[in-house]
Amino acid sequence: MSPTSPSASVPLSSPLPRTMRAVVITGHGDLDVIKEREVPMPRPGPGEVLVQVHAAGCNNTDLWTREGSYGAAEDPDVKTGWLGPLDFPRIQGADVAGTVVACGDEEATGLVGKRVLVDPAEYDGPGPDARPADVLGSERDGGFAEYVVVPSARAHSVEGSPLTDVELAALPIAYGTALGMLDRGAVSKGHTVLVTGASGGVGLAAVQLARSRGARVVAVCGGDKGEAVRSAGADAVVDRRRGEVLADAVAAAPGGYDTVIDVVAGAALGLGLLRAGGRWVVAGALAGWAVNIDVRRLYLANLSLVGSTMHTPRIFDRLVEIARRGDVTPVVAATFPLGQVGEAQAQLARRSHVGKLIIVP
């Protein structure tokens, strides 16, 4: 299978193998807890399908889950996964593009043989705005493997998409999160938007998606990545390494920002960057989770400080439509074979790349 062309699955008439290659984490810890193993082939049950994985994206959540960095409300220093304690070994990998090769009941037979993009979330309710209640590769085994079982309702056909498997696998977490942030930030044509962490997966997705909505985008990133971020759609770039981010951000938009899309957080949120009625949407804390804000600025200017986690079913449906049409072409920094998940996570932690890192089993 070529990562630059549509997928070809195993012949559907062929018996499935009894085992498969997978990469697991054996507990919370450093890179040495990542192990490649031969594991039993998962079998789909009722309401499930078996997907042959052709590409699986890497995310910061993989690092934080492996490290146990999410903490708990009662103890922020306890090692946990995103939604609590995890079972080990666990196959990571939330972002999956592949082909359905088997189904667990007759209702999903129409998906067999289809090229699909997998929604990694299971939700806390049936509505279009339900919130994620568990995530592929975290609460259940994910896509850093040759095959993965997912609910048939979460396997979305992308037959005819002009995007490659590698590009599709860049979409679910990063672009779903970014799309959700733009939605909660009410970003629309003519708005001025500031995006922090703009060279990373979510940040770069936000740059591309905001630009596609007709917004003017100012991106904050390291100066050595500025040209790549401009190429992705940023109208202006603020070099975070200069040490004058707030001043430079003001200079780039003297009239203020309608929305800030923030995956960095840190010691100061700088609410003064917003116009009256503006929205600061936060979905990460790369620079630290402890922040200081002047609440007077918050209420006197009618500002909104909004948390945003991943996507909803409604947001993911919109992302699938974007994928089918190829409205946005994700930026892929590098691909790695399955046996190099550890190397991919090490590169992800160094943050020296621009765009997404993708595993190709």
Side-chain angles (χ1 to χ4, degrees):
M1 186 275 296
S2 169
T4 58
S5 61
S7 309
S9 69
V10 294
L12 300 181
S13 59
S14 299
L16 293 170
R18 299 180 64 181
T19 63
M20 67 174 183
R21 290 187 307 126
V23 172
V24 305
I25 53 172
T26 57
H28 294 304
D30 296 326
L31 293 172
D32 58 359
V33 303
I34 299 174
K35 307 291 184 184
E36 184 176 5
R37 290 182 174 175
E38 194 80 11
V39 301
M41 170 71 75
R43 302 290 174 179
E48 296 178 330
V49 294
L50 179 68
V51 176
Q52 183 182 8
V53 179
H54 295 305
C58 299
N59 294 283
N60 285 322
T61 53
D62 298 325
L63 305 185
W64 300 330
T65 297
R66 170 174 54 78
E67 294 166 354
S69 300
Y70 284 101
E74 64 277 8
D75 183 358
D77 296 320
V78 69
K79 290 187 178 299
T80 70
W82 179 50
L83 294 173
L86 298 184
D87 294 327
F88 298 104
R90 171 67 72 229
I91 302 171
Q92 292 190 292
D95 294 348
V96 173
T99 301
V100 174
V101 295
C103 58
D105 54 36
E106 292 184 358
E107 290 186 7
T109 53
L111 281 171
V112 176
K114 299 291 187 182
R115 189 178 185 221
V116 295
L117 180 67
V118 175
D119 181 349
E122 279 290 88
Y123 298 97
D124 62 2
D129 294 309
R131 296 176 299 178
D134 83 28
V135 179
L136 196 67
S138 177
E139 285 63 48
R140 51 200 159 92
D141 284 338
F144 292 163
E146 292 179 301
Y147 297 86
V148 62
V149 165
V150 301
S152 56
R154 305 295 169 229
H156 296 262
S157 174
V158 286
E159 290 287 323
S161 170
L163 301 181
T164 67
D165 291 322
V166 166
E167 290 165 343
L168 286 169
L171 291 172
I173 293 290
Y175 285 75
T177 297
L179 196 58
M181 295 178 78
L182 296 179
D183 194 64
R184 301 197 75 179
V187 173
S188 61
K189 185 176 181 179
H191 280 185
T192 300
V193 178
L194 181 71
V195 178
T196 71
S199 61
V202 175
L204 201 62
V207 169
Q208 291 183 289
L209 292 167
R211 181 62 181 273
S212 73
R213 290 188 177 195
R216 177 175 181 263
V217 181
V218 178
V220 180
C221 64
D224 58 327
K225 302 174 183 177
E227 191 55 42
V229 173
R230 281 183 185 274
S231 296
D235 296 281
V237 172
V238 171
D239 184 355
R240 65 173 176 78
R241 295 180 181 175
R242 264 180 34 86
E244 300 290 339
V245 171
L246 290 178
D248 291 346
V250 169
Y257 294 90
D258 297 284
T259 306
V260 173
I261 301 297
D262 187 12
V263 297
V264 174
L269 283 177
L271 293 176
L273 290 171
L274 289 173
R275 294 173 177 161
R279 303 187 183 197
W280 197 295
V281 186
V282 184
L286 295 175
W289 51 266
V291 301
N292 297 302
I293 63 171
D294 183 343
V295 296
R296 295 169 299 179
R297 174 62 186 165
L298 190 66
Y299 66 78
L300 290 174
N302 290 312
L303 305 180
S304 298
L305 180 58
V306 183
S308 185
T309 296
M310 285 185 61
H311 55 264
T312 62
R314 177 176 56 83
I315 292 294
F316 200 83
D317 285 345
R318 286 167 55 191
L319 185 64
V320 170
E321 290 303 315
I322 289 171
R324 288 172 178 160
R325 294 190 300 263
D327 291 345
V328 172
T329 301
V331 177
V332 175
T335 62
F336 298 81
L338 183 60
Q340 293 182 12
V341 168
E343 288 85 343
Q345 289 198 10
Q347 181 169 327
L348 187 62
R350 288 194 295 270
R351 310 196 193 287
S352 59
H353 60 286
V354 176
K356 293 284 291 183
L357 306 178
I358 308 294
I359 304 300
V360 180

